[in-house]
Amino acid sequence: MAYDLYVITDEGIGQGRSHAELAARAVAGGADAIQLRDKTLSGRDLFTAASTIREIASDAGALFIVNDRLDVALAAGADGVHLGESDLPIGEARRLAPPGFIIGASVGSVATAIRAAAEGADYLALSPTFATGSKDDAGPGHGLATLAEIRTAVALPLVAIGGITAKNVADVIAAGADGVAVISAVVGQDDVTAAARDLRARIVAAKANQH
Ligand SMILES: Cc1ncc(COP(=O)(O)OP(=O)(O)O)c(N)n1
Ligand SMILES: Cc1nc(C(=O)O)sc1CCOP(=O)(O)O
Ligand SMILES: [Mg+2]
């Protein structure tokens, strides 16, 4: 499972483009994973959007993750769900999900990372890594030192989320992230595809520099 470039769609930041349009443009730029995240849609509308994006992502060979809503993720045939500390417990999601279904978890420390891994998460997201204006209740960034500590403590795929940009992505990868999850740096840009392509190239280059 590659999480190098994990793009989260957001119609509030996406310059009027729909979730599906943003997803299509992001995978055209090489996004490895797409997440549908929308707190405003009804269950029905979220399912409709998820069903469309599932096709877009699978046609492009990208993973498709639904934020928060395990029911919608399962109904739409998504590859997985992302759960934070106030969402359905990881263990309950695992009990309900089919084999191979991806469950991602937000973590903020070594302790919560170890706990999420023990509960059965398939990947971890350091949430947030830097300060961000894209999530109202994100809190302050945990920073690259915490990222590095989690890297040494847990073997799961580890993504950094929150305030990730083309300027800081190399440092994030050097600190131990396997990939980055972004909103503004890609879907907030005029040219989503070019922004995704550029950010992914920076990730690949940073990983090449590690060897
Ligand atoms: C990849 C990724 N990481 C973190 C989050 C945040 O999830 P959560 O803490 O549940 O907050 P909301 O996104 O639900 O507001 C995420 N969605 N994706
Ligand atoms: C969806 C989300 N979750 C976060 C967390 O810390 O859990 S930060 C975030 C938004 C990230 O947006 P941007 O790339 O524009 O900073
Ligand atoms: Mg959540």
Side-chain angles (χ1 to χ4, degrees):
M1 276 172 277
Y3 296 96
D4 289 15
L5 179 59
Y6 184 160
V7 174
I8 301 176
T9 62
D10 185 316
E11 291 183 341
I13 295 174
Q15 297 190 19
R17 294 159 299 197
S18 69
H19 285 295
E21 179 63 26
L22 293 168
R25 292 181 186 210
V27 297
D32 302 287
I34 296 290
Q35 180 186 124
L36 170 60
R37 177 180 183 267
D38 195 310
K39 306 275 187 179
T40 68
L41 293 179
S42 67
R44 177 68 56 92
D45 289 343
L46 199 65
F47 169 75
T48 300
S51 300
T52 301
I53 298 172
R54 184 207 54 196
E55 297 299 322
I56 292 167
S58 54
D59 287 352
L63 291 173
F64 174 43
I65 306 291
V66 176
N67 186 48
D68 288 344
R69 296 288 300 269
L70 175 65
D71 55 343
V72 173
L74 294 173
D79 295 297
V81 69
H82 188 89
L83 301 173
E85 292 180 358
S86 64
D87 294 314
L88 192 68
I90 296 165
E92 292 307 310
R94 184 61 71 196
R95 183 171 62 83
L96 296 168
F101 187 79
I102 296 168
I103 299 174
S106 300
V107 298
S109 65
V110 170
T112 56
I114 291 171
R115 184 164 69 238
E119 290 173 357
D122 294 297
Y123 73 82
L124 305 176
L126 178 58
S127 308
T129 300
F130 304 119
T132 177
S134 304
K135 172 176 158 68
D136 296 340
D137 56 348
H142 295 289
L144 296 182
T146 301
L147 182 69
E149 288 169 2
I150 294 172
R151 175 69 296 156
T152 61
V154 183
L156 287 175
L158 176 61
V159 300
I161 186 169
I164 308 297
T165 67
K167 287 188 171 58
N168 63 33
V169 70
D171 291 338
V172 170
I173 299 298
D178 294 294
V180 298
V182 299
I183 298 180
S184 305
V186 172
V187 306
Q189 304 305 308
D190 293 345
D191 188 335
V192 169
T193 299
R197 191 173 293 123
D198 174 71
L199 196 59
R200 192 172 193 283
R202 292 172 187 265
I203 294 164
V204 171
K207 289 190 171 185
N209 283 342
Q210 288 177 329
H211 301 308

